[in-house]
Amino acid sequence: MATKTVRTRAKPMLATDVVVVGAGYAGCYAIAGLRRARVDVVAVDPTGTMDMLPRLAAVAGHADAATDAAIELTKLFPHLKIVRGKMKRFRKGVVTTEAGHRVRGRVTIITAGAQPTEPTIAGLANAFQLRTAADALRLRAAVGEAEDVVIVGGGATGVQLAGALSNSGVANAILVDSASRLLPEFHESLGSHAKDLLSARGVRIELDAAVESIQPNGVVLEDGTELIGLPVWAGGFRATMDAFKVGPTTEGRLNIGDDLRVEGTKDVLAAGDAAAHLDSKGNLRPMAAQTAVQAGSGAAKNAVRMLRGQPTASVAMRDLGWVVDLTGGRGVAQVGPFRFATSGLDRIPPYLHDFIDAKTLYEVGGVKAVKRYSPGRQTTPPEGLDLEFLQHYLG
C-alpha cells in the first residue's frame, strides 16, 4: 500500500531591522538602545521576561518577594514585538525557534546561550539550578519545604544564596566548595569577610571539599562525608553556542571582533554570555551582568551603524567592580581600588546593590521602570513565569 507524504506548511516569516536573541541583561540593553534609535526590533526569548539576575538568590532564599524575579518585556518596552521560544538554528540571517517560528533581520544580535557547567560529578541533574527567574521560583518553592539546603559552589551565587537563607531563616544553609576560600575569583579579603558573616549567622561552610556525587536528598563528598539537604548547583555556567554553528567559538562562546561582530559574518553581532569577550590581557571575561550591559549597549549602537551603512566602532569594556549582597544589611564589594570587606564597611554593599538595580531599570526603561519595578513594587508574577504549581508560594 502506497504511503502519502504529508507536508506541514512553514510558519510565516517575520521580517524586521534587528533580531535580538535573548532578553537577559545584554539583550534588554540592546533592545533599549535600538528603540531609542527608532529601529524596528523583534526579540526572541523563551519567557518574554527580563530576569533580574542580581535579585535571584534573594528571591530563591525567601529574602525578597517572588515577584521581584523578573519583569515582563512588554511592560519595559511597550509594543515590543516578541517571539517566544528558544533559537533552534540560525541560517542566512533567519532565526528559527524550536516551535518553527522564523524571524529574518537585516542585523542579528545574539545574546543568549548558557547552561550549568558539566563537571565529572555523578547526579548533577539531581541538583536545583539558579540561573534564571524560573530557576529561582522553583528553588524558592522547594526551599519552603526543606529543613536544610546544600549549596555546591562558593562563588558569588552560592554565597548570596547562603546569605539570603541565613537572613530569612526559612532553611539552614550548608555551603560547599572545593576551593580553599569563598569567592575565589575576588580579592581574598572579600571571601574571608563573607565567610565570617555567614558563619556568624549559622551557615555551615565546607571548604577544600570536593563533591563526588549529588543525590536527590543531599551531597556526598569525596572523603565519604554525606551532607543531607536540598541540593543546589551554584558551581558556574558554560556557553552553548557551538551547536548553532553561527561562527567560530572559544569555550562555547562566539569569537567576536572589537566591534562585537561575529568572526566570519557581516551582519551578526554577539554580546553577553554568548560572546567571547576578552580583557586587556586577552583572557575571557567572566559571564557577568557588568559585561552584558556594556556589550548590549555597544551592540545596539553598532547595529544602528550597520543599518545606516556606517563603519562600526570598537566597544570598550571596563571593569566596574563586584558587589555581593548577603541581605540583612550586609555584604562585600570591590569598586576600583576600594574594598568594602570589614565590619562597618560591610553595610555599604547592600546600598551599592540597590543603586545598581535602580541604574539598570533606569537605563532600560527610564524613571517609570524604577518606580514600578524596583524590589517590592510588583504585586503579581510576570506572565511568562506564571507557573501553576508555584502559585501557592508567590507573594
Side-chain angles (χ1 to χ4, degrees), residues 126-179:
N126 291 319
F128 282 80
Q129 304 169 14
L130 187 53
R131 177 66 178 176
T132 68
D135 290 340
L137 294 178
R138 292 188 184 99
L139 180 54
R140 178 187 178 91
V143 163
E145 299 179 348
E147 182 175 345
D148 299 291
V149 177
V150 184
I151 305 164
V152 181
T157 299
V159 168
Q160 287 178 307
L161 179 58
L165 290 169
S166 61
N167 181 54
S168 69
V170 70
N172 301 315
I174 304 171
L175 186 56
V176 182
D177 200 287
S178 59

Side-chain angles (χ1 to χ4, degrees), residues 61-336:
H62 288 247
D64 283 352
T67 49
D68 288 339
I71 305 168
E72 290 179 42
L73 293 180
T74 52
K75 291 182 178 179
L76 283 173
F77 309 112
H79 311 299
L80 174 67
K81 288 177 283 188
I82 305 170
V83 174
R84 290 198 180 188
K86 291 183 178 180
M87 182 173 71
K88 181 179 181 180
R89 61 179 176 271
F90 178 79
R91 296 288 185 277
K92 298 180 179 180
V94 177
V95 174
T96 303
T97 70
E98 293 177 345
H101 297 288
R102 298 179 300 157
V103 189
R104 180 190 296 278
R106 294 167 60 193
V107 177
T108 302
I109 301 176
I110 299 176
T111 70
Q115 64 184 36
T117 53
E118 295 182 355
T120 55
I121 297 176
L124 182 60
N126 291 319
F128 282 80
Q129 304 169 14
L130 187 53
R131 177 66 178 176
T132 68
D135 290 340
L137 294 178
R138 292 188 184 99
L139 180 54
R140 178 187 178 91
V143 163
E145 299 179 348
E147 182 175 345
D148 299 291
V149 177
V150 184
I151 305 164
V152 181
T157 299
V159 168
Q160 287 178 307
L161 179 58
L165 290 169
S166 61
N167 181 54
S168 69
V170 70
N172 301 315
I174 304 171
L175 186 56
V176 182
D177 200 287
S178 59
S180 60
R181 63 185 180 90
L182 296 181
L183 303 175
E185 64 270 43
F186 305 146
H187 188 271
E188 185 176 357
S189 62
L190 274 67
S192 176
H193 194 61
K195 181 182 178 182
D196 291 343
L197 290 171
L198 294 176
S199 297
R201 294 182 183 180
V203 175
R204 177 180 172 182
I205 299 173
E206 298 285 345
L207 298 175
D208 293 309
V211 174
E212 180 177 280
S213 66
I214 299 178
Q215 309 297 326
N217 65 338
V219 169
V220 179
L221 304 182
E222 287 186 351
D223 65 3
T225 302
E226 295 184 7
L227 303 174
I228 305 302
L230 183 77
V232 179
W233 175 256
F237 295 83
R238 64 183 179 88
T240 57
M241 296 309 303
D242 294 320
F244 301 106
K245 299 180 180 179
V246 177
T249 61
T250 299
E251 296 184 13
R253 301 161 71 176
L254 290 166
N255 293 344
I256 54 175
D258 292 340
D259 62 354
L260 307 184
R261 195 190 314 252
V262 176
E263 289 183 4
T265 71
K266 293 182 179 180
D267 51 15
V268 183
L269 302 166
D273 293 349
H277 297 290
L278 303 179
D279 61 21
S280 58
K281 298 180 180 179
N283 299 317
L284 281 174
R285 289 180 175 273
M287 296 180 185
Q290 64 169 296
T291 298
V293 300
Q294 295 177 79
S297 295
K301 292 176 182 177
N302 275 338
V304 172
R305 293 185 179 106
M306 293 163 73
L307 291 172
R308 295 174 178 172
Q310 300 171 346
T312 55
S314 296
V315 178
M317 297 284 178
R318 295 183 299 150
D319 291 320
L320 304 177
W322 302 93
V323 177
V324 181
D325 183 12
L326 302 182
T327 73
R330 295 291 190 277
V332 294
Q334 177 161 349
V335 181

